Amino acid sequence: MTQLTTNQPPDIPEEKAAGPWREAWTGFKKSKAALAGAFIVLFFVALALVGPLIAPEGINDQNVTERLMAPSAAHWFGTDDFGRDILSRVIHGARISLTVGFFSVIGSVIVGSALGIIAGYYGRWIDTVISRLFDIMLAFPSILLAIAIVSVLGPSLRNALIAIAVINVPNFGRLIRSKVLSIKQDEYITAAKGIGMKDGRILFSHILPNSMAPVIVQGTLAVATAILEAAALGFLGLGAQAPDPEWGKMLADARNYLRDAPWTMIFPGLAIMLTVLGFNLMGDGLRDALDPRMKS
């Protein structure tokens, strides 16, 4: 009598499937440039957090007998025209610039994402009104629009932060709108509507989480742009006001001493350059890791 046997595959240990975020982190770690950017960003974030504890002097400690001193063992970055230690002011300036960068982008993401989701999901006249609003804002050069907003509100660091947040809203709004237009056509969204799920739950439980990848990438790059815009407003006298050691304001104060004391401009300029470079490198790495089209 023939015994029936079934061909069963051998027991193979089931590997835990890697989620999309784990795959993104794996891809991010493979990029040396992205890791270098992340290291630079973490360095300046740590500098902003512990800056007051490690700064050799106070930001407004003046010593007119040591004004415009070249870098030395006593003052690693030299001193400015008031005899203030430039190293201490650059360290404190990291907190100001990163605060403006992070919080302006957070505001832009919140407002822009809300408008973009509403426009993309509901469409019709709502989409038309919001899209035309974005087009009008994007018709102006961003820095000119920021200058106009600060001129109306008044020169200050807070108003510069508000202006930078406002001018970046259309970028996030259009990005999230295009993503929502694509996602809302998927079958699982149609099924959710079919079983009577409310719009609010669909938006916050399904559409918003699946739209975050491009927003994260754009947000990282936008922080670099916001830091540059804050420095530009500070240089023009529309951002941080004296005696705050904002990097752009430090450049403006040092422009009259470029020949006699170039270090007064070099070190704040290097701080801006390195911070922006770090965010750009990290943003490029996140884009490559989160974009399926970039995966080999």
Side-chain angles (χ1 to χ4, degrees), residues 235-296:
F235 186 85
L236 296 173
L238 299 174
Q241 301 297 304
D244 291 340
E246 194 270 328
W247 292 335
K249 185 68 172 63
M250 292 177 67
L251 290 177
D253 295 338
R255 59 186 170 182
N256 294 326
Y257 308 99
L258 179 58
R259 291 195 174 195
D260 299 329
W263 56 87
T264 57
M265 294 190 71
I266 289 175
F267 293 109
L270 282 175
I272 296 172
M273 185 201 72
L274 289 175
T275 307
V276 172
L277 176 64
F279 278 104
N280 283 334
L281 290 176
M282 191 170 70
D284 289 341
L286 287 173
R287 181 198 59 198
D288 296 343
L290 294 172
D291 190 350
R293 295 173 297 181
M294 304 297 295
K295 297 178 182 179
S296 56

Side-chain angles (χ1 to χ4, degrees), residues 106-191:
I106 289 173
S108 300
V109 168
I110 293 173
V111 178
S113 297
L115 293 175
I117 287 176
I118 293 172
Y121 186 76
Y122 292 103
R124 298 184 179 180
W125 66 269
I126 298 177
D127 184 18
T128 301
V129 172
I130 294 177
S131 296
R132 295 298 79 77
L133 175 62
F134 290 162
D135 291 340
I136 292 172
M137 295 179 67
L138 291 172
F140 297 93
S142 59
I143 189 62
L144 292 182
L145 184 57
I147 291 173
I149 294 173
V150 175
S151 298
V152 172
L153 299 178
S156 71
L157 185 63
R158 184 192 66 179
N159 293 338
L161 190 154
I162 294 173
I164 295 170
V166 170
I167 64 176
N168 285 310
V169 164
N171 297 325
F172 291 99
R174 297 182 70 179
L175 178 66
I176 201 77
R177 173 185 174 273
S178 63
K179 192 69 176 177
V180 170
L181 288 174
S182 174
I183 293 175
K184 77 173 185 178
Q185 304 298 330
D186 291 344
E187 294 181 356
Y188 69 93
I189 300 297
T190 304

Side-chain angles (χ1 to χ4, degrees), residues 65-128:
T65 61
E66 296 182 350
R67 64 187 302 270
L68 299 178
M69 287 185 60
S72 63
H75 302 282
W76 290 3
F77 287 4
T79 61
D80 63 8
D81 53 319
F82 288 100
R84 297 173 297 193
D85 185 69
I86 294 178
L87 174 59
S88 300
R89 292 178 64 78
V90 169
I91 290 175
H92 281 79
R95 174 173 296 184
I96 296 175
S97 295
L98 290 178
T99 298
V100 173
F102 282 126
F103 283 98
S104 63
V105 169
I106 289 173
S108 300
V109 168
I110 293 173
V111 178
S113 297
L115 293 175
I117 287 176
I118 293 172
Y121 186 76
Y122 292 103
R124 298 184 179 180
W125 66 269
I126 298 177
D127 184 18
T128 301

